[in-house]
Amino acid sequence: MANSAGSKKRARQAEKRRQHNASLRSMARTYMKKVVAAIESGDQAAAQEAFKAAQPVMDSSVTKGIIHKNKVARTKSRLAARIKAMA
């Protein structure tokens, strides 16, 4: 456990930041799952709309350092390919 005042504050800040990051990560994953659900339902228009909504959320999670840029690029590429294949 932290002893000095500075290290106690660091611990408080780290916990607050961890919870905030977890919230952002969860939100990004939810948007990704919505796209997958729309694809599996077979509705291309809904999948396209869900993908348009998910892209900025995924990109902002990269900017904030929540998810690695290559993982987001890979996920976006795979989702776009699946949506394109529905046509």
Side-chain angles (χ1 to χ4, degrees), residues 1-17:
M1 183 60 206
N3 289 319
S4 67
S7 58
K8 285 179 182 174
K9 181 178 178 180
R10 269 281 149 227
R12 286 195 309 269
Q13 288 176 325
E15 179 59 22
K16 190 185 287 186
R17 204 163 41 247

Side-chain angles (χ1 to χ4, degrees), residues 21-70:
N21 289 345
S23 169
L24 294 174
R25 191 177 304 114
S26 174
M27 182 179 68
R29 286 179 181 156
T30 301
Y31 273 91
M32 291 179 211
K33 285 177 191 171
K34 285 180 183 175
V35 178
V36 172
I39 291 169
E40 288 173 352
S41 73
D43 187 358
Q44 188 179 16
Q48 193 67 44
E49 287 302 312
F51 186 60
K52 278 183 185 172
Q55 277 182 305
V57 175
M58 293 163 72
D59 290 335
S60 69
S61 68
V62 170
T63 308
K64 293 171 185 170
I66 307 298
I67 306 174
H68 196 275
K69 65 180 175 114
N70 291 359

